[in-house]
Amino acid sequence: MPSDSALRIVWIYPDLLSTYGDQGNVLVLEQRARRRGIPTETIHVRSSDPIPETGDIYLIGGGEDRPQILAAERLRRNSGLHRAIASGAALLAVCAGYQIMGSTFGGEEGQPVQGIGLLDISSSRGPARAVGELVAEVDSALGLPVLTGFENHMGVTHLGPGVRPLSKTVAGIGNGDGFEGCYAGHVVGTYLHGPALARNPALADLLLSWRVGQLAPLDDRHFEALRRERLDAVLQG
Ligand code: GLN
């Protein structure tokens, strides 16, 4: 059994939402914590199970329309995630998981489906599928380098006054309004796959720092090579 001081990472609904290797976000967080001597415990919460309230960092991934609707229904019945966030836990929600955090999103026929209202956003089906590489400059308040990743979604997302845009798109569609993702408190929503935290280890460190404070730097040469290759391919291609 891990000690009480282990960082608890909660991976929500691997049975419904985990497209494009989004589970890699869990691995990156685990690895970056352990490389700094921080023990971790990862909990995989299937959609038949309640969300534990005692996690430190929660992760939810992308998915097709039907599993997304099912995931939203199950999360609506369960207030564990709301309670965890209210007590200071961090959350990274990707694509379908991001849309679910809002008040509504578009179902497979474009019908509005109720989300869980954790973020002040609403999503609907956009005019065309957004597919391809995405590059975006992060809100300077967060002090992160440019974001890289890829997107594949029909939805567009409207931000309310209760959230701030995570970043401004340089390439790609993101929310559909010139911005990509949003954040509020310790909750980050994004359309980025890649997985997002492998492409953007500084974002992983931001989530970790919200729970454990200042972090020692790591040798990120491999991550940097991946980022450089992807950024060059988009910006010079
Ligand atoms: N089903 C959602 C959309 O198409 C989310 C897609 C995804 O998670 N990749 O907008």
Side-chain angles (χ1 to χ4, degrees):
M1 276 295 283
S3 77
D4 283 351
S5 63
L7 182 87
R8 287 163 66 94
I9 300 168
V10 182
W11 176 226
I12 301 173
Y13 296 174
D15 52 328
L16 293 177
L17 298 176
S18 182
T19 44
Y20 312 119
D22 287 338
Q23 189 172 348
N25 290 328
V26 177
L27 304 178
V28 173
L29 277 183
E30 287 174 346
Q31 190 205 48
R32 295 184 77 76
R34 286 180 195 161
R35 284 170 70 193
R36 292 171 166 118
I38 302 165
T40 65
E41 174 191 5
T42 298
I43 303 153
H44 289 225
V45 184
R46 295 179 65 80
S47 59
S48 50
D49 295 331
I51 308 286
E53 294 170 34
T54 53
D56 289 294
I57 304 179
Y58 292 74
L59 298 160
I60 184 167
E64 304 300 325
D65 293 342
R66 280 168 182 260
Q68 179 178 359
I69 292 169
L70 197 55
E73 275 170 20
R74 297 200 170 168
L75 277 173
R76 282 204 309 270
R77 283 195 231 130
N78 190 298
S79 56
L81 183 59
H82 278 91
R83 284 205 290 272
I85 299 303
S87 56
L91 166 68
L92 177 72
V94 174
C95 205
Y98 170 37
Q99 295 176 3
I100 288 173
M101 296 305 137
S103 55
T104 53
F105 61 88
E108 73 273 43
E109 306 293 337
Q111 77 279 17
V113 179
Q114 206 188 330
I116 66 164
L118 197 60
L119 284 172
D120 182 15
I121 60 169
S122 63
S123 303
S124 54
R125 271 170 93 86
R129 180 163 284 276
V131 192
E133 285 289 317
L134 206 152
V135 176
E137 280 167 3
V138 185
D139 183 340
S140 58
L142 295 176
L144 299 182
V146 68
L147 292 175
T148 159
F150 69 89
E151 59 184 337
N152 185 356
H153 55 100
M154 275 302 294
V156 292
T157 296
H158 317 278
L159 307 189
V163 297
R164 286 175 65 103
L166 175 64
S167 59
K168 209 169 183 313
T169 52
V170 176
I173 307 297
N175 297 335
D177 59 356
F179 294 100
E180 156 24 50
C182 77
Y183 71 102
H186 291 173
V187 179
V188 176
T190 178
Y191 275 108
L192 290 176
H193 301 283
L197 300 185
R199 291 276 198 106
N200 305 283
L203 183 56
D205 285 355
L206 180 69
L207 297 168
L208 288 169
S209 70
W210 281 338
R211 294 306 287 175
V212 301
Q214 210 178 344
L215 297 166
L218 295 176
D219 176 356
D220 274 338
R221 265 174 292 181
H222 294 300
F223 285 107
E224 280 310 322
L226 170 67
R227 285 175 58 77
R228 198 64 274 150
E229 190 276 329
R230 288 289 78 205
L231 288 168
D232 287 350
V234 181
L235 300 175
Q236 296 168 17

